[in-house]
Amino acid sequence: MKQEYLGMVLPITITSIWWWSCLIRGVDASPQINLLNKGCSQYNATNLPEFYTNLNATFSDLKTQLNKNSTHFATAQQARGSDPVYPMVQCRNYLSAADCAACFAAAVSQIRNCSAANGARVIYDGCFLRYESAGFFDQTTLPGNVGLCGNNTASQATAFSAAAGKLLVDLQLATPKINGFFAATKNEVVSSGSGNETVYGVAQCAETISKTGCQDCLNVAYANLQSCLPDTDGRAVDAGCFLRYSSTSFFPDNQTTNIASFLKTGGNSRKKAIIIGVVVGGVRLLILIVGVFLYFKLSRKPEAARRGDILGATELQGPMNYKYKDLKSATKNFSEENKLGEGGFGDVYKGTLNNGKIVAVKKLAILQSDRAKANFVNEVKLISNVHHRNLIRLLGCCSKGPELLLIYEYMANNSLDRFIFGPKRGSLNWKQLNDIILGTARGLAYLHEEFHVCIIHRDIKTSNILLDDSFQPKIADFGLARLLPDDQTHLSTRFAGTLGYTAPEYAIHGQLSEKVDT
Ligand SMILES: *[C@@H]1O[C@H](CO)[C@@H](O)[C@H](O)[C@H]1NC(C)=O
Ligand SMILES: *[C@@H]1O[C@H](CO)[C@@H](O)[C@H](O)[C@H]1NC(C)=O
Ligand SMILES: *[C@@H]1O[C@H](CO)[C@@H](O)[C@H](O)[C@H]1NC(C)=O
């Protein structure tokens, strides 16, 4: 509404003068749509009309929620159909309801630039908006978390850094304990120079994460802002939280949170203090040593985040990278004795990792050009994000060694062919067989229609249907056909399909559709 208003400036009425004076007073009325971070998923929705309907429905749902309850946080979901949309919006709590609505409207129009992307996010100073094709409301810290520093250095560098550092520590400690996970506070810069400067800060977590999740996320945010000091401004963005400080006031004074009561240490440490007070020398020293030890253990910074990656499930989480050396020793140097089978894509070995976990290691027999390797990493990333109980979990990969290796969860009962044709023929009862048929169909339906990229298996057969401890089926080898160069996929039955199982239209003409798997 305000934006429309600003468009028609000329008729200066009493109301508009009132409006302007509010605006000029500064921070009090502004949706703060300074863009900090944005991103679109690299995957598009499949059924566009359905997707846009879902997207519009969830956005208007969010809008209603923000309006009706004048809250600053909302989530929604439209999970019907093939292209579900899960959005989340959050305004900084110091924004008025009108500014929050304006920030949300700006975010919606900005995020629509991602057109049909099945996930996207926009982060402003005043609010953020994100949607994905699956729920993400419990995400805390993700790769791509980053600190954004200002361009100016504070004039009283040392004093400013001290005051801002203290402010950030306080926010980091107090915010997770505050209902609603939001705090805004300020701190005086104590310096010998003239004038009294102040540093302002806010911290906020998504309301759908846990207290410890909020804590974890703010720890990372805090670490990310360390390199900004003594710049006069810094912002840390992450999936589940936001942390910002500035030498200029950016929230109304009456929105300041009194965080003092949340900074008091609990009764536990008061008890400790009494003990220290009473007990003499030796014990005091012992406690000190334990304390110092704990301090270093607890305050160790979280592992440095990978930079360059962007935030969000949108950008798929990377698979775990295993060391070639470890896999070699886990499989006893890929010994015959550990061999579980030979598949179209390469041999599979049973491996026992250092931590005792048993895995299946697949040695890929595909060409190792640089392009193939780059492709490999992307496809593996995609496959490792497929989670369904009737699909084998890809745990990670190894592309650094002399071979390309894939690491899967291990299935105790091996594959279905052993129970149909092999030594254990006839040992499954009708109930088990029925469960296997239904489970396999569910796994395929997920690959074809529910995962955000349609994956066609191309080689469904009994030896690719593995059985877990309770004889539930899990489809193996899905997604691997995507690793082959386009021209190889349908010509070579060795790679992308087994003669006798492959659909004739695919084997002969290379026509590929979901029907190939059915
Ligand atoms: C969704 O909303 C946009 C913008 O308001 C509109 O252009 C589009 O036609 C809508 N699409 C559907 C399917 O409702
Ligand atoms: C994206 O949306 C914003 C806001 O609607 C608009 O100003 C901008 O031109 C659009 N395009 C790009 C490429 O950002
Ligand atoms: C804070 O101050 C603004 C004016 O600056 C006023 O409109 C608003 O109602 C106040 N909010 C609270 C919670 O007192």
Side-chain angles (χ1 to χ4, degrees), residues 66-67 69-72 91 93-104:
L66 291 181
N67 278 347
N69 317 328
S70 57
T71 107
H72 290 77
C91 292
N93 288 20
Y94 57 79
L95 288 194
S96 67
D99 287 335
C100 178
C103 193
F104 172 66

Side-chain angles (χ1 to χ4, degrees), residues 412-438 440 462-463 465-474:
N413 278 320
N414 220 300
S415 51
L416 181 60
D417 57 337
R418 313 224 166 177
F419 294 87
I420 304 277
F421 313 110
K424 295 188 185 156
R425 181 175 175 166
S427 66
L428 290 174
N429 62 34
W430 282 111
K431 163 101 178 55
Q432 288 170 322
L433 289 171
N434 189 50
D435 286 351
I436 290 169
I437 292 169
L438 286 179
T440 307
T462 50
S463 61
I465 297 171
L466 306 187
L467 300 173
D468 71 7
D469 299 339
S470 49
F471 294 97
Q472 291 303 311
K474 288 185 186 255

Side-chain angles (χ1 to χ4, degrees), residues 65-274:
Q65 291 187 52
L66 291 181
N67 278 347
K68 200 163 67 187
N69 317 328
S70 57
T71 107
H72 290 77
F73 180 83
T75 61
Q77 66 180 68
Q78 277 295 333
R80 264 170 297 157
S82 63
D83 291 280
V85 175
Y86 295 78
M88 178 194 280
V89 61
Q90 185 167 40
C91 292
R92 311 304 164 210
N93 288 20
Y94 57 79
L95 288 194
S96 67
D99 287 335
C100 178
C103 193
F104 172 66
V108 167
S109 89
Q110 176 71 250
I111 218 164
R112 283 193 192 276
N113 283 351
C114 287
S115 48
N118 69 353
R121 67 162 187 284
V122 178
I123 305 176
Y124 292 126
D125 270 339
C127 65
F128 84 83
L129 173 64
R130 175 178 170 197
Y131 69 84
E132 299 291 345
S133 57
F136 62 92
F137 305 151
D138 58 349
Q139 285 181 359
T140 56
T141 176
L142 283 187
N145 64 76
V146 68
L148 309 163
C149 305
N151 299 323
N152 302 315
T153 310
S155 51
Q156 306 279 347
T158 320
F160 183 83
S161 291
K166 167 82 167 58
L167 178 87
L168 293 175
V169 170
D170 287 353
L171 283 172
Q172 175 201 12
L173 287 176
T175 310
K177 298 180 194 161
I178 299 175
N179 222 343
F181 296 147
F182 173 83
T185 184
K186 57 186 177 177
N187 200 7
E188 299 299 324
V189 177
V190 185
S191 69
S192 52
S194 58
N196 39 354
E197 230 186 330
T198 308
V199 54
Y200 303 84
V202 300
Q204 186 176 41
C205 292
E207 291 180 17
T208 40
I209 67 179
S210 66
K211 185 177 167 186
T212 42
C214 179
Q215 186 73 68
D216 293 346
C217 191
L218 288 176
N219 288 351
V220 174
Y222 174 77
N224 278 336
L225 286 186
Q226 289 311 296
S227 58
C228 287
L229 296 169
D231 288 351
T232 53
D233 289 278
R235 293 145 170 112
V237 298
D238 205 336
C241 66
F242 177 72
L243 181 63
R244 175 183 178 190
Y245 77 88
S246 173
S247 63
T248 19
S249 165
F250 60 95
F251 53 87
D253 210 41
N254 61 7
Q255 295 293 329
T256 310
T257 320
N258 181 2
I259 60 170
S261 59
F262 299 99
L263 295 173
K264 285 199 200 106
T265 40
N268 222 354
S269 51
R270 201 182 305 145
K271 227 182 271 167
K272 241 183 236 161
I274 293 168

Side-chain angles (χ1 to χ4, degrees), residues 344-346 362 364 366 376 379-380 383 394 406 408 455-458 464 476-485 489 495-496:
F345 294 92
K362 183 181 277 273
L364 282 185
I366 54 170
F376 173 77
E379 290 302 325
V380 166
I383 304 170
L394 176 65
L406 293 175
Y408 288 99
I455 296 179
I456 299 174
H457 190 294
R458 310 178 205 200
N464 274 337
D477 270 5
F478 58 86
L480 296 189
R482 295 170 55 100
L483 289 173
L484 304 169
T489 42
F495 280 133

